[in-house]
Amino acid sequence: MTSATIDHDIVDHDDHDHPTDGFFWKIGAILALLTAAEVSTIWWVDWGIPGRLTHITLLAMMSVKFVMVAMYFMHLKYDQKLLRTVFFFGLILAGLVYLAGMSAMVIFDDNSNVVIEDAPYVRPIPPPPTDPPAIPTGGGH
Amino acid sequence: VFIAGQVYEFTAFLREGFGYTSNVSTSAFYTLTGFHGVHVSVGIVMLLIALGFILRGRLGPQNAEAVEIIGLYWHFVDVVWIVIFTIVYLIP
């Protein structure tokens, strides 16, 4: 799908550009295909594709989907440039704060891999059954 | 469907012994996905209210801005899920 094809679905009413319903269906179809490709990465390791390549591809597809939803469904593409700037400034700032937070918690090793040292998971052991309390026996009659 | 899946997922994890305080990963998982579930629930309520107004014919052009804001909220929740889905569920 080229941007020329997508732009063809923009019709001009009044003094604003309004995408047609068909245009949004096309965007939805592209997003669905990308999501299917993302989910298919579960099997990539079985096909011998290196994990690092899978991660990079996943992050790239995530970014494309994010931008498509923000630009078309949240119509930042058709809003004022100021709104787009504010949105992406906040996004970049949030990303930097997130990275700074992770760095402060020292979860990157020397090779820039993320390492979270969780406590080892131990399945909780149910308490042993207890004997029922002894039924007091009354005085002998 | 999303909320039902999340309830099923949380229930299954809790049965397996993965609680909120089990470790750092489970805390992050429940916080991220739980907050997202709450936002989705709020969005569903807003959309249902808007649908109710539409069915009663009480949502006209004068309410376009309100509908716009609900749509923006919904798609912002959507865009957050795109990140959570990749980071939490897909990247091993």
Side-chain angles (χ1 to χ4, degrees), chain A residues 18-67:
Chain A
H18 293 283
T20 61
D21 288 353
F23 170 78
F24 285 113
W25 280 106
K26 282 180 185 172
I27 296 293
I30 295 169
L31 290 170
L33 285 173
L34 280 172
T35 305
E38 282 182 332
V39 174
S40 77
T41 59
I42 294 168
W43 297 284
W44 284 17
V45 66
D46 299 332
W47 303 341
I49 297 173
R52 188 159 286 249
L53 178 64
T54 306
H55 294 174
I56 292 168
T57 311
L58 272 171
L59 291 174
M61 288 193 286
M62 177 191 82
S63 303
V64 170
K65 284 174 64 181
F66 187 100
V67 169

mmCIF file of all heavy atoms in Angstrom, chain A residues 18-67:
data_model
loop_
_atom_site.group_PDB
_atom_site.id
_atom_site.type_symbol
_atom_site.label_atom_id
_atom_site.label_comp_id
_atom_site.label_asym_id
_atom_site.label_seq_id
_atom_site.Cartn_x
_atom_site.Cartn_y
_atom_site.Cartn_z
ATOM 1 N N HIS A 18 -11.199 15.259 4.849
ATOM 2 C CA HIS A 18 -11.900 14.234 5.608
ATOM 3 C C HIS A 18 -11.663 12.896 4.931
ATOM 4 O O HIS A 18 -12.114 12.695 3.801
ATOM 5 C CB HIS A 18 -13.398 14.526 5.660
ATOM 6 C CG HIS A 18 -13.739 15.744 6.440
ATOM 7 N ND1 HIS A 18 -13.750 15.762 7.817
ATOM 8 C CD2 HIS A 18 -14.059 16.993 6.041
ATOM 9 C CE1 HIS A 18 -14.079 16.975 8.227
ATOM 10 N NE2 HIS A 18 -14.257 17.741 7.184
ATOM 11 N N PRO A 19 -10.986 11.976 5.618
ATOM 12 C CA PRO A 19 -10.810 10.646 5.028
ATOM 13 C C PRO A 19 -12.155 9.951 4.888
ATOM 14 O O PRO A 19 -13.062 10.168 5.689
ATOM 15 C CB PRO A 19 -9.926 9.919 6.045
ATOM 16 C CG PRO A 19 -9.329 10.982 6.888
ATOM 17 C CD PRO A 19 -10.308 12.101 6.906
ATOM 18 N N THR A 20 -12.273 9.083 3.905
ATOM 19 C CA THR A 20 -13.511 8.323 3.708
ATOM 20 C C THR A 20 -13.506 7.110 4.627
ATOM 21 O O THR A 20 -12.477 6.740 5.211
ATOM 22 C CB THR A 20 -13.606 7.840 2.252
ATOM 23 O OG1 THR A 20 -12.485 6.982 2.001
ATOM 24 C CG2 THR A 20 -13.580 9.003 1.286
ATOM 25 N N ASP A 21 -14.679 6.466 4.750
ATOM 26 C CA ASP A 21 -14.771 5.239 5.546
ATOM 27 C C ASP A 21 -13.835 4.167 4.988
ATOM 28 O O ASP A 21 -13.181 3.437 5.733
ATOM 29 C CB ASP A 21 -16.209 4.707 5.543
ATOM 30 C CG ASP A 21 -17.131 5.589 6.385
ATOM 31 O OD1 ASP A 21 -16.617 6.505 7.050
ATOM 32 O OD2 ASP A 21 -18.354 5.353 6.351
ATOM 33 N N GLY A 22 -13.805 4.062 3.663
ATOM 34 C CA GLY A 22 -12.944 3.060 3.025
ATOM 35 C C GLY A 22 -11.481 3.244 3.370
ATOM 36 O O GLY A 22 -10.738 2.272 3.531
ATOM 37 N N PHE A 23 -11.102 4.486 3.523
ATOM 38 C CA PHE A 23 -9.720 4.781 3.899
ATOM 39 C C PHE A 23 -9.396 4.167 5.272
ATOM 40 O O PHE A 23 -8.361 3.527 5.458
ATOM 41 C CB PHE A 23 -9.535 6.302 3.930
ATOM 42 C CG PHE A 23 -8.248 6.742 4.529
ATOM 43 C CD1 PHE A 23 -7.071 6.682 3.808
ATOM 44 C CD2 PHE A 23 -8.210 7.229 5.828
ATOM 45 C CE1 PHE A 23 -5.884 7.096 4.365
ATOM 46 C CE2 PHE A 23 -7.019 7.648 6.386
ATOM 47 C CZ PHE A 23 -5.862 7.578 5.657
ATOM 48 N N PHE A 24 -10.325 4.350 6.228
ATOM 49 C CA PHE A 24 -10.077 3.800 7.566
ATOM 50 C C PHE A 24 -10.101 2.277 7.553
ATOM 51 O O PHE A 24 -9.378 1.628 8.316
ATOM 52 C CB PHE A 24 -11.099 4.356 8.562
ATOM 53 C CG PHE A 24 -10.825 5.788 8.942
ATOM 54 C CD1 PHE A 24 -11.690 6.795 8.563
ATOM 55 C CD2 PHE A 24 -9.685 6.129 9.646
ATOM 56 C CE1 PHE A 24 -11.432 8.112 8.895
ATOM 57 C CE2 PHE A 24 -9.421 7.444 9.984
ATOM 58 C CZ PHE A 24 -10.290 8.438 9.613
ATOM 59 N N TRP A 25 -10.923 1.684 6.698
ATOM 60 C CA TRP A 25 -10.914 0.223 6.571
ATOM 61 C C TRP A 25 -9.562 -0.264 6.053
ATOM 62 O O TRP A 25 -9.052 -1.303 6.482
ATOM 63 C CB TRP A 25 -12.031 -0.255 5.637
ATOM 64 C CG TRP A 25 -13.373 -0.304 6.309
ATOM 65 C CD1 TRP A 25 -14.418 0.558 6.126
ATOM 66 C CD2 TRP A 25 -13.806 -1.256 7.301
ATOM 67 N NE1 TRP A 25 -15.469 0.195 6.937
ATOM 68 C CE2 TRP A 25 -15.132 -0.906 7.665
ATOM 69 C CE3 TRP A 25 -13.214 -2.358 7.904
ATOM 70 C CZ2 TRP A 25 -15.858 -1.623 8.604
ATOM 71 C CZ3 TRP A 25 -13.932 -3.074 8.842
ATOM 72 C CH2 TRP A 25 -15.241 -2.708 9.186
ATOM 73 N N LYS A 26 -8.993 0.490 5.120
ATOM 74 C CA LYS A 26 -7.664 0.105 4.600
ATOM 75 C C LYS A 26 -6.617 0.181 5.698
ATOM 76 O O LYS A 26 -5.770 -0.707 5.841
ATOM 77 C CB LYS A 26 -7.277 1.030 3.445
ATOM 78 C CG LYS A 26 -7.954 0.700 2.138
ATOM 79 C CD LYS A 26 -7.521 1.660 1.058
ATOM 80 C CE LYS A 26 -8.295 1.404 -0.244
ATOM 81 N NZ LYS A 26 -8.033 2.423 -1.248
ATOM 82 N N ILE A 27 -6.665 1.248 6.487
ATOM 83 C CA ILE A 27 -5.719 1.376 7.601
ATOM 84 C C ILE A 27 -5.908 0.217 8.577
ATOM 85 O O ILE A 27 -4.936 -0.389 9.052
ATOM 86 C CB ILE A 27 -5.924 2.724 8.334
ATOM 87 C CG1 ILE A 27 -5.612 3.898 7.394
ATOM 88 C CG2 ILE A 27 -5.062 2.808 9.595
ATOM 89 C CD1 ILE A 27 -4.160 4.001 7.011
ATOM 90 N N GLY A 28 -7.182 -0.102 8.868
ATOM 91 C CA GLY A 28 -7.469 -1.217 9.770
ATOM 92 C C GLY A 28 -6.922 -2.529 9.230
ATOM 93 O O GLY A 28 -6.384 -3.348 9.984
ATOM 94 N N ALA A 29 -7.048 -2.738 7.923
ATOM 95 C CA ALA A 29 -6.546 -3.978 7.316
ATOM 96 C C ALA A 29 -5.021 -4.056 7.417
ATOM 97 O O ALA A 29 -4.465 -5.119 7.728
ATOM 98 C CB ALA A 29 -6.976 -4.045 5.849
ATOM 99 N N ILE A 30 -4.356 -2.947 7.193
ATOM 100 C CA ILE A 30 -2.889 -2.926 7.317
ATOM 101 C C ILE A 30 -2.489 -3.233 8.757
ATOM 102 O O ILE A 30 -1.571 -4.028 9.013
ATOM 103 C CB ILE A 30 -2.329 -1.554 6.875
ATOM 104 C CG1 ILE A 30 -2.578 -1.330 5.390
ATOM 105 C CG2 ILE A 30 -0.835 -1.459 7.175
ATOM 106 C CD1 ILE A 30 -2.305 0.093 4.925
ATOM 107 N N LEU A 31 -3.200 -2.634 9.711
ATOM 108 C CA LEU A 31 -2.889 -2.883 11.124
ATOM 109 C C LEU A 31 -3.124 -4.347 11.480
ATOM 110 O O LEU A 31 -2.336 -4.950 12.226
ATOM 111 C CB LEU A 31 -3.745 -1.975 12.013
ATOM 112 C CG LEU A 31 -3.393 -0.489 11.978
ATOM 113 C CD1 LEU A 31 -4.451 0.334 12.704
ATOM 114 C CD2 LEU A 31 -2.030 -0.243 12.618
ATOM 115 N N ALA A 32 -4.183 -4.937 10.930
ATOM 116 C CA ALA A 32 -4.462 -6.357 11.203
ATOM 117 C C ALA A 32 -3.354 -7.245 10.636
ATOM 118 O O ALA A 32 -2.907 -8.200 11.294
ATOM 119 C CB ALA A 32 -5.815 -6.737 10.601
ATOM 120 N N LEU A 33 -2.896 -6.919 9.437
ATOM 121 C CA LEU A 33 -1.815 -7.706 8.829
ATOM 122 C C LEU A 33 -0.531 -7.580 9.654
ATOM 123 O O LEU A 33 0.178 -8.570 9.886
ATOM 124 C CB LEU A 33 -1.564 -7.234 7.397
ATOM 125 C CG LEU A 33 -2.611 -7.659 6.363
ATOM 126 C CD1 LEU A 33 -2.329 -6.988 5.024
ATOM 127 C CD2 LEU A 33 -2.611 -9.181 6.198
ATOM 128 N N LEU A 34 -0.243 -6.373 10.102
ATOM 129 C CA LEU A 34 0.957 -6.169 10.917
ATOM 130 C C LEU A 34 0.851 -6.936 12.239
ATOM 131 O O LEU A 34 1.827 -7.529 12.707
ATOM 132 C CB LEU A 34 1.160 -4.679 11.188
ATOM 133 C CG LEU A 34 1.808 -3.872 10.067
ATOM 134 C CD1 LEU A 34 1.763 -2.383 10.380
ATOM 135 C CD2 LEU A 34 3.264 -4.299 9.882
ATOM 136 N N THR A 35 -0.341 -6.932 12.829
ATOM 137 C CA THR A 35 -0.529 -7.663 14.079
ATOM 138 C C THR A 35 -0.336 -9.161 13.859
ATOM 139 O O THR A 35 0.286 -9.843 14.676
ATOM 140 C CB THR A 35 -1.933 -7.379 14.654
ATOM 141 O OG1 THR A 35 -2.097 -5.973 14.801
ATOM 142 C CG2 THR A 35 -2.123 -8.050 16.007
ATOM 143 N N ALA A 36 -0.859 -9.671 12.739
ATOM 144 C CA ALA A 36 -0.668 -11.088 12.423
ATOM 145 C C ALA A 36 0.825 -11.402 12.260
ATOM 146 O O ALA A 36 1.311 -12.436 12.742
ATOM 147 C CB ALA A 36 -1.427 -11.433 11.140
ATOM 148 N N ALA A 37 1.545 -10.490 11.614
ATOM 149 C CA ALA A 37 2.993 -10.684 11.453
ATOM 150 C C ALA A 37 3.687 -10.666 12.807
ATOM 151 O O ALA A 37 4.606 -11.450 13.060
ATOM 152 C CB ALA A 37 3.565 -9.601 10.535
ATOM 153 N N GLU A 38 3.223 -9.776 13.689
ATOM 154 C CA GLU A 38 3.813 -9.717 15.036
ATOM 155 C C GLU A 38 3.612 -11.035 15.779
ATOM 156 O O GLU A 38 4.540 -11.575 16.377
ATOM 157 C CB GLU A 38 3.167 -8.577 15.836
ATOM 158 C CG GLU A 38 3.671 -7.195 15.487
ATOM 159 C CD GLU A 38 3.027 -6.126 16.353
ATOM 160 O OE1 GLU A 38 1.882 -6.328 16.806
ATOM 161 O OE2 GLU A 38 3.659 -5.091 16.564
ATOM 162 N N VAL A 39 2.380 -11.533 15.735
ATOM 163 C CA VAL A 39 2.085 -12.774 16.458
ATOM 164 C C VAL A 39 2.871 -13.935 15.859
ATOM 165 O O VAL A 39 3.301 -14.847 16.575
ATOM 166 C CB VAL A 39 0.562 -13.047 16.446
ATOM 167 C CG1 VAL A 39 0.244 -14.401 17.053
ATOM 168 C CG2 VAL A 39 -0.186 -11.949 17.204
ATOM 169 N N SER A 40 3.103 -13.896 14.555
ATOM 170 C CA SER A 40 3.834 -14.995 13.910
ATOM 171 C C SER A 40 5.281 -15.084 14.411
ATOM 172 O O SER A 40 5.926 -16.121 14.244
ATOM 173 C CB SER A 40 3.836 -14.817 12.393
ATOM 174 O OG SER A 40 4.773 -13.830 11.995
ATOM 175 N N THR A 41 5.787 -14.026 15.048
ATOM 176 C CA THR A 41 7.176 -14.077 15.531
ATOM 177 C C THR A 41 7.362 -15.130 16.623
ATOM 178 O O THR A 41 8.493 -15.499 16.932
ATOM 179 C CB THR A 41 7.625 -12.708 16.063
ATOM 180 O OG1 THR A 41 6.765 -12.302 17.132
ATOM 181 C CG2 THR A 41 7.626 -11.654 14.981
ATOM 182 N N ILE A 42 6.246 -15.575 17.198
ATOM 183 C CA ILE A 42 6.332 -16.638 18.207
ATOM 184 C C ILE A 42 7.027 -17.868 17.613
ATOM 185 O O ILE A 42 7.767 -18.567 18.300
ATOM 186 C CB ILE A 42 4.913 -17.005 18.713
ATOM 187 C CG1 ILE A 42 4.313 -15.827 19.470
ATOM 188 C CG2 ILE A 42 4.928 -18.253 19.580
ATOM 189 C CD1 ILE A 42 2.835 -15.968 19.770
ATOM 190 N N TRP A 43 6.782 -18.110 16.323
ATOM 191 C CA TRP A 43 7.349 -19.310 15.677
ATOM 192 C C TRP A 43 8.672 -19.031 14.964
ATOM 193 O O TRP A 43 9.256 -19.941 14.423
ATOM 194 C CB TRP A 43 6.335 -19.890 14.684
ATOM 195 C CG TRP A 43 5.090 -20.352 15.354
ATOM 196 C CD1 TRP A 43 4.921 -21.493 16.088
ATOM 197 C CD2 TRP A 43 3.831 -19.674 15.384
ATOM 198 N NE1 TRP A 43 3.641 -21.572 16.565
ATOM 199 C CE2 TRP A 43 2.945 -20.471 16.153
ATOM 200 C CE3 TRP A 43 3.354 -18.478 14.850
ATOM 201 C CZ2 TRP A 43 1.621 -20.109 16.392
ATOM 202 C CZ3 TRP A 43 2.029 -18.117 15.084
ATOM 203 C CH2 TRP A 43 1.188 -18.926 15.843
ATOM 204 N N TRP A 44 9.107 -17.783 14.955
ATOM 205 C CA TRP A 44 10.327 -17.448 14.211
ATOM 206 C C TRP A 44 11.537 -18.207 14.743
ATOM 207 O O TRP A 44 12.428 -18.562 13.989
ATOM 208 C CB TRP A 44 10.589 -15.944 14.246
ATOM 209 C CG TRP A 44 9.700 -15.165 13.340
ATOM 210 C CD1 TRP A 44 8.532 -15.589 12.784
ATOM 211 C CD2 TRP A 44 9.899 -13.833 12.871
ATOM 212 N NE1 TRP A 44 7.980 -14.593 12.011
ATOM 213 C CE2 TRP A 44 8.795 -13.516 12.047
ATOM 214 C CE3 TRP A 44 10.885 -12.867 13.080
ATOM 215 C CZ2 TRP A 44 8.662 -12.279 11.428
ATOM 216 C CZ3 TRP A 44 10.754 -11.647 12.466
ATOM 217 C CH2 TRP A 44 9.647 -11.352 11.643
ATOM 218 N N VAL A 45 11.553 -18.427 16.057
ATOM 219 C CA VAL A 45 12.708 -19.127 16.637
ATOM 220 C C VAL A 45 12.792 -20.552 16.082
ATOM 221 O O VAL A 45 13.890 -21.090 15.873
ATOM 222 C CB VAL A 45 12.629 -19.109 18.183
ATOM 223 C CG1 VAL A 45 11.440 -19.918 18.685
ATOM 224 C CG2 VAL A 45 13.922 -19.623 18.786
ATOM 225 N N ASP A 46 11.634 -21.161 15.802
ATOM 226 C CA ASP A 46 11.628 -22.514 15.219
ATOM 227 C C ASP A 46 12.130 -22.495 13.781
ATOM 228 O O ASP A 46 12.581 -23.518 13.270
ATOM 229 C CB ASP A 46 10.210 -23.102 15.243
ATOM 230 C CG ASP A 46 9.680 -23.223 16.654
ATOM 231 O OD1 ASP A 46 10.497 -23.371 17.576
ATOM 232 O OD2 ASP A 46 8.446 -23.159 16.845
ATOM 233 N N TRP A 47 12.019 -21.354 13.129
ATOM 234 C CA TRP A 47 12.467 -21.240 11.740
ATOM 235 C C TRP A 47 13.932 -20.816 11.650
ATOM 236 O O TRP A 47 14.433 -20.525 10.560
ATOM 237 C CB TRP A 47 11.603 -20.231 10.977
ATOM 238 C CG TRP A 47 10.133 -20.555 10.993
ATOM 239 C CD1 TRP A 47 9.558 -21.758 11.271
ATOM 240 C CD2 TRP A 47 9.044 -19.645 10.756
ATOM 241 N NE1 TRP A 47 8.189 -21.652 11.225
ATOM 242 C CE2 TRP A 47 7.847 -20.374 10.900
ATOM 243 C CE3 TRP A 47 8.970 -18.292 10.427
ATOM 244 C CZ2 TRP A 47 6.591 -19.802 10.742
ATOM 245 C CZ3 TRP A 47 7.713 -17.720 10.250
ATOM 246 C CH2 TRP A 47 6.540 -18.475 10.413
ATOM 247 N N GLY A 48 14.585 -20.725 12.819
ATOM 248 C CA GLY A 48 16.015 -20.404 12.832
ATOM 249 C C GLY A 48 16.337 -18.925 12.706
ATOM 250 O O GLY A 48 17.479 -18.566 12.417
ATOM 251 N N ILE A 49 15.351 -18.072 12.904
ATOM 252 C CA ILE A 49 15.614 -16.629 12.811
ATOM 253 C C ILE A 49 16.180 -16.151 14.144
ATOM 254 O O ILE A 49 15.615 -16.466 15.202
ATOM 255 C CB ILE A 49 14.313 -15.867 12.452
ATOM 256 C CG1 ILE A 49 13.829 -16.326 11.072
ATOM 257 C CG2 ILE A 49 14.523 -14.356 12.483
ATOM 258 C CD1 ILE A 49 12.492 -15.803 10.663
ATOM 259 N N PRO A 50 17.311 -15.427 14.131
ATOM 260 C CA PRO A 50 17.943 -15.006 15.386
ATOM 261 C C PRO A 50 17.017 -14.141 16.238
ATOM 262 O O PRO A 50 16.223 -13.346 15.705
ATOM 263 C CB PRO A 50 19.158 -14.195 14.920
ATOM 264 C CG PRO A 50 19.369 -14.552 13.499
ATOM 265 C CD PRO A 50 18.048 -14.977 12.952
ATOM 266 N N GLY A 51 17.125 -14.314 17.549
ATOM 267 C CA GLY A 51 16.256 -13.590 18.467
ATOM 268 C C GLY A 51 16.409 -12.084 18.368
ATOM 269 O O GLY A 51 15.423 -11.340 18.446
ATOM 270 N N ARG A 52 17.645 -11.621 18.186
ATOM 271 C CA ARG A 52 17.868 -10.176 18.124
ATOM 272 C C ARG A 52 17.163 -9.560 16.907
ATOM 273 O O ARG A 52 16.580 -8.490 16.994
ATOM 274 C CB ARG A 52 19.368 -9.883 18.081
ATOM 275 C CG ARG A 52 19.726 -8.422 18.203
ATOM 276 C CD ARG A 52 21.149 -8.259 18.666
ATOM 277 N NE ARG A 52 21.288 -8.585 20.065
ATOM 278 C CZ ARG A 52 21.555 -7.686 21.014
ATOM 279 N NH1 ARG A 52 21.713 -6.435 20.695
ATOM 280 N NH2 ARG A 52 21.659 -8.030 22.277
ATOM 281 N N LEU A 53 17.185 -10.298 15.786
ATOM 282 C CA LEU A 53 16.491 -9.815 14.583
ATOM 283 C C LEU A 53 14.978 -9.772 14.819
ATOM 284 O O LEU A 53 14.286 -8.835 14.397
ATOM 285 C CB LEU A 53 16.813 -10.731 13.391
ATOM 286 C CG LEU A 53 16.123 -10.388 12.076
ATOM 287 C CD1 LEU A 53 16.569 -9.021 11.563
ATOM 288 C CD2 LEU A 53 16.402 -11.449 11.026
ATOM 289 N N THR A 54 14.491 -10.784 15.526
ATOM 290 C CA THR A 54 13.060 -10.814 15.858
ATOM 291 C C THR A 54 12.684 -9.603 16.700
ATOM 292 O O THR A 54 11.662 -8.953 16.458
ATOM 293 C CB THR A 54 12.722 -12.109 16.621
ATOM 294 O OG1 THR A 54 13.167 -13.228 15.867
ATOM 295 C CG2 THR A 54 11.238 -12.233 16.873
ATOM 296 N N HIS A 55 13.532 -9.301 17.698
ATOM 297 C CA HIS A 55 13.236 -8.157 18.575
ATOM 298 C C HIS A 55 13.200 -6.856 17.779
ATOM 299 O O HIS A 55 12.288 -6.037 17.952
ATOM 300 C CB HIS A 55 14.289 -8.053 19.675
ATOM 301 C CG HIS A 55 14.263 -9.199 20.625
ATOM 302 N ND1 HIS A 55 15.185 -9.381 21.622
ATOM 303 C CD2 HIS A 55 13.405 -10.250 20.713
ATOM 304 C CE1 HIS A 55 14.906 -10.477 22.292
ATOM 305 N NE2 HIS A 55 13.841 -11.022 21.759
ATOM 306 N N ILE A 56 14.195 -6.683 16.903
ATOM 307 C CA ILE A 56 14.264 -5.443 16.116
ATOM 308 C C ILE A 56 13.044 -5.326 15.201
ATOM 309 O O ILE A 56 12.425 -4.274 15.083
ATOM 310 C CB ILE A 56 15.580 -5.402 15.303
ATOM 311 C CG1 ILE A 56 16.763 -5.257 16.256
ATOM 312 C CG2 ILE A 56 15.570 -4.263 14.293
ATOM 313 C CD1 ILE A 56 18.111 -5.482 15.610
ATOM 314 N N THR A 57 12.675 -6.461 14.585
ATOM 315 C CA THR A 57 11.506 -6.449 13.697
ATOM 316 C C THR A 57 10.235 -6.127 14.471
ATOM 317 O O THR A 57 9.388 -5.357 14.013
ATOM 318 C CB THR A 57 11.353 -7.818 13.007
ATOM 319 O OG1 THR A 57 12.610 -8.201 12.459
ATOM 320 C CG2 THR A 57 10.333 -7.777 11.903
ATOM 321 N N LEU A 58 10.122 -6.728 15.661
ATOM 322 C CA LEU A 58 8.938 -6.470 16.479
ATOM 323 C C LEU A 58 8.847 -4.993 16.853
ATOM 324 O O LEU A 58 7.769 -4.385 16.781
ATOM 325 C CB LEU A 58 8.990 -7.320 17.754
ATOM 326 C CG LEU A 58 8.394 -8.716 17.672
ATOM 327 C CD1 LEU A 58 8.722 -9.505 18.932
ATOM 328 C CD2 LEU A 58 6.894 -8.641 17.501
ATOM 329 N N LEU A 59 9.986 -4.416 17.261
ATOM 330 C CA LEU A 59 9.981 -2.999 17.646
ATOM 331 C C LEU A 59 9.656 -2.109 16.446
ATOM 332 O O LEU A 59 8.962 -1.094 16.586
ATOM 333 C CB LEU A 59 11.327 -2.617 18.266
ATOM 334 C CG LEU A 59 11.604 -3.237 19.643
ATOM 335 C CD1 LEU A 59 13.019 -2.918 20.105
ATOM 336 C CD2 LEU A 59 10.603 -2.747 20.676
ATOM 337 N N ALA A 60 10.143 -2.504 15.273
ATOM 338 C CA ALA A 60 9.849 -1.723 14.063
ATOM 339 C C ALA A 60 8.356 -1.791 13.729
ATOM 340 O O ALA A 60 7.726 -0.763 13.446
ATOM 341 C CB ALA A 60 10.680 -2.246 12.892
ATOM 342 N N MET A 61 7.789 -3.010 13.775
ATOM 343 C CA MET A 61 6.357 -3.147 13.478
ATOM 344 C C MET A 61 5.519 -2.401 14.509
ATOM 345 O O MET A 61 4.509 -1.772 14.178
ATOM 346 C CB MET A 61 5.974 -4.631 13.434
ATOM 347 C CG MET A 61 6.495 -5.344 12.202
ATOM 348 S SD MET A 61 5.767 -6.962 11.923
ATOM 349 C CE MET A 61 6.561 -7.940 13.177
ATOM 350 N N MET A 62 5.946 -2.468 15.778
ATOM 351 C CA MET A 62 5.236 -1.745 16.839
ATOM 352 C C MET A 62 5.239 -0.239 16.540
ATOM 353 O O MET A 62 4.207 0.436 16.662
ATOM 354 C CB MET A 62 5.914 -2.026 18.178
ATOM 355 C CG MET A 62 5.321 -1.295 19.351
ATOM 356 S SD MET A 62 6.358 -1.432 20.821
ATOM 357 C CE MET A 62 7.555 -0.134 20.496
ATOM 358 N N SER A 63 6.390 0.266 16.123
ATOM 359 C CA SER A 63 6.504 1.695 15.843
ATOM 360 C C SER A 63 5.610 2.107 14.678
ATOM 361 O O SER A 63 4.938 3.143 14.725
ATOM 362 C CB SER A 63 7.960 2.057 15.534
ATOM 363 O OG SER A 63 8.787 1.675 16.600
ATOM 364 N N VAL A 64 5.596 1.266 13.623
ATOM 365 C CA VAL A 64 4.764 1.581 12.455
ATOM 366 C C VAL A 64 3.288 1.618 12.848
ATOM 367 O O VAL A 64 2.541 2.546 12.490
ATOM 368 C CB VAL A 64 4.998 0.552 11.329
ATOM 369 C CG1 VAL A 64 3.982 0.710 10.217
ATOM 370 C CG2 VAL A 64 6.411 0.695 10.779
ATOM 371 N N LYS A 65 2.860 0.598 13.626
ATOM 372 C CA LYS A 65 1.465 0.558 14.057
ATOM 373 C C LYS A 65 1.126 1.770 14.917
ATOM 374 O O LYS A 65 0.074 2.391 14.771
ATOM 375 C CB LYS A 65 1.199 -0.730 14.857
ATOM 376 C CG LYS A 65 1.091 -1.970 13.992
ATOM 377 C CD LYS A 65 0.985 -3.224 14.829
ATOM 378 C CE LYS A 65 -0.258 -3.263 15.665
ATOM 379 N NZ LYS A 65 -0.319 -4.491 16.502
ATOM 380 N N PHE A 66 2.045 2.097 15.828
ATOM 381 C CA PHE A 66 1.817 3.240 16.721
ATOM 382 C C PHE A 66 1.614 4.519 15.913
ATOM 383 O O PHE A 66 0.649 5.265 16.121
ATOM 384 C CB PHE A 66 3.021 3.386 17.661
ATOM 385 C CG PHE A 66 2.841 4.410 18.743
ATOM 386 C CD1 PHE A 66 2.502 4.020 20.029
ATOM 387 C CD2 PHE A 66 3.017 5.757 18.488
ATOM 388 C CE1 PHE A 66 2.335 4.965 21.028
ATOM 389 C CE2 PHE A 66 2.850 6.702 19.475
ATOM 390 C CZ PHE A 66 2.509 6.310 20.757
ATOM 391 N N VAL A 67 2.511 4.749 14.974
ATOM 392 C CA VAL A 67 2.445 5.984 14.181
ATOM 393 C C VAL A 67 1.173 5.995 13.327
ATOM 394 O O VAL A 67 0.511 7.035 13.190
ATOM 395 C CB VAL A 67 3.713 6.122 13.311
ATOM 396 C CG1 VAL A 67 3.545 7.232 12.286
ATOM 397 C CG2 VAL A 67 4.926 6.394 14.187
#
